[in-house]
Amino acid sequence: METNVTAGAFSALGGPRGADTPRYLPVAEHGLIGDLRSAALVGSNGTIDWYCCPRFDAPSVFASILDADRGGSFELAPDVPTRTKQFYFPDTNVLITRFFADDGVGEIQDFMPIVDDSREADRHRLIRRVVCVRGSLPFRARVAPRFEYGAQPHTVHAQQRQAVFETPSLSLALTASVPIEVAGPDVWSLFKLHEGESAVFALDRVGGDVAPRFCPLSEAEHQFKATVSFWRRWLSRSRYRGRWRETVHRSALTLKLLTYAPTGAIIAAPTTSLPEQIGGERNWDYRYVWIRDAAFCVYALLRLGFTDEAEAFMGFLSEHVHLEATKAHHPTRPLQIMYGIDGRCELPEHELPHLEGYRGSAPVRVGNNAVNQLQLDIYGALVDSLYLYDKWGQPISSALWDTVSELVDWVCDHWDQPDEGIWETRGGRKNFLYSRLMCWVAIERAMRLAQHRGLPADMVRWGQARDAIYRRIMRHGWSAERHAFVQHEDSHVLDASLLMMPLAKFISPTDPKWLATLDALGEDLVSDSLVYRYDPQASPDGMRGEEGTFSICSFWYVEALTRAGRLDEARLAFEKMLTYANHLGLYAEEIGHTGEQRGNFPQAFTHLALISAAFNLDRALG
């Protein structure tokens, strides 16, 4: 992937970018780095324009992706016109951005060291190593943090080659191997490198027991090698040897980056408010843990051989998803749909009106009010994840089985009530078929687990509820007019979530009713292998504007075709989907009409579905 960067991008020290430089890179023009606690997006122009410290859900330090003027950024690039290319150092999450100019070639190596020592982990060091590969190049850097989503002013104290940005709540220290100068609230540097020379910038969180520390060239080299070694050692545990191995491994590496090591939580995405439609209002904060992702996480991680990550995620669920705590907040339901990365229940949503949003797409939101919705499908996702972990990981504990039993008892009593559904619609509750399907999964998987392990269970009651759900779906979820299963009871609207019916083993993948549904979905919701969730005009969801195709649904479509035995179609659809990835193999939540990435980026759910689709398609192909 190439882009053009002009000298105008750094037209004035600390000043605005040149008129010939776009204020916002496309979402897909980014790579992700992280330290399993926080993460940063690095643009293909060398600018870090999203970074939250000290954790994923903390207020941003750099957020120019949400407001090019007020968000803050860390710009670093040659001070001459260049072409750029970006790639990951093989089998790692170390990001390389290369610059090709008339007089030389340079590169930036961006990474965050993964350390075991708790004090050093609190440093959250971000290293940017600049290397002149050929010829000679002038470089320019501008470090412009804007704390608390650009709302909190800061002071700068500089001496020699170190500057400390201070606020009452967070302080960052910048150290450099080249001279730096202060310009107002920012720090800049002009330097020139000849072939074989390098420079290092290191940004550390400081305060408490963590003091500013220089990062000399030798230490940067050591940290680079240690970080490469960490990621390659982690990836070597993968058991996947099938087709599309590099693509599957990139998805696995991305999922690992989205893991919060202290608790084992896996966030939905590292960003907030990247829009589903430019200028639209479908902008949400995804820096939290969705229970719905549980089964998909455990399935994908265990299938690839990453048992430690699956165990850590199970640990998060066991430790933080407490029925008693949830009942105190929401007495009408035993679980909420999402939690903070530390297990907290309160995720109040509010808007940041001082930020213009990506390409003017306001509002920018922090927090997520969907936490208060009733989404019955999460019970199936949770119980299925426990079933899979018990099958391929470790037997679940007696205490966890007590929790499962209580959950299943609740599902037996409440499965037939309307809810907001998997897509978290804000247009009122309905009797969504997918919610019924996953309630069936919750009961059916619990019964399997009880039989396999000889665990105590009210099998008669559970079996009666399971069968009642099955009959309800078959009678009220099937439309004779559409000749297909439909989004909600007694309607004629199609929904891509129905692709999960054979994947969840509710219906045979070759059942005539399912094959008719698959054909109907292909006709109404599929466009060049890309799948829309549903038609908002036919099924209003309470939000204005349109949306792109949902990448997770596109991978579900591949897997549904695979299980139906339509392997040629499945393989072609999968190969087409791969062309919609960005230059690094990363996916946002959605894909727009012209192939652009939309929504929060990168999205865990999409990469989980990619792994599952690749695994099952490769196995079917033999």
Side-chain angles (χ1 to χ4, degrees), residues 107-283:
E107 70 179 36
I108 302 173
Q109 302 164 355
D110 284 305
F111 60 97
M112 297 178 71
I114 314 294
V115 294
D116 294 328
D117 179 80
S118 59
R119 181 180 300 178
E120 281 305 296
D122 288 340
R123 185 179 296 278
H124 300 284
R125 170 162 278 185
L126 193 162
I127 295 178
R128 312 201 72 187
R129 187 164 75 155
V130 190
V131 180
C132 184
V133 179
R134 302 180 67 183
S136 61
L137 285 173
F139 287 86
R140 185 172 297 209
R142 177 172 175 257
V143 187
R146 298 293 183 265
F147 295 86
E148 293 285 334
Y149 303 107
Q152 187 177 62
H154 65 271
T155 59
V156 185
H157 304 283
Q159 57 179 357
Q160 296 180 331
R161 296 180 178 181
Q162 175 180 288
V164 178
F165 305 93
E166 289 186 321
T167 75
S169 57
L170 178 66
S171 294
L172 298 176
L174 174 76
T175 61
S177 63
V178 293
I180 59 175
E181 294 189 32
V182 176
D186 307 334
V187 169
W188 60 269
S189 178
L190 279 172
F191 59 99
K192 187 171 186 177
L193 297 178
H194 299 282
E195 187 169 325
E197 293 180 337
S198 62
V200 171
F201 294 86
L203 191 66
D204 295 352
R205 174 179 179 259
V206 293
D209 294 334
V210 182
R213 194 184 80 221
F214 278 93
C215 184
L217 299 181
S218 58
E219 181 174 344
E221 173 70 15
H222 171 74
Q223 294 275 31
F224 176 86
K225 291 180 178 178
T227 305
V228 166
S229 177
F230 170 86
W231 288 114
R232 288 183 168 172
R233 193 166 56 247
W234 180 82
L235 191 60
S236 69
R237 290 162 40 205
S238 170
R239 294 196 302 259
Y240 188 74
R241 299 294 183 269
R243 299 168 180 82
W244 312 289
R245 184 181 176 193
E246 187 172 336
T247 298
V248 168
H249 280 173
R250 177 50 53 197
S251 289
L253 284 162
T254 303
L255 290 175
K256 182 65 173 175
L257 271 181
L258 301 181
T259 302
Y260 184 61
T263 64
I266 298 177
I267 58 172
T271 56
T272 180
S273 301
L274 294 183
E276 297 177 19
Q277 178 191 16
I278 301 302
E281 63 177 349
R282 298 170 184 264
N283 315 324

Side-chain angles (χ1 to χ4, degrees), residues 36-47:
L36 307 184
R37 289 168 173 79
S38 60
L41 288 181
V42 184
S44 58
N45 60 358
T47 296

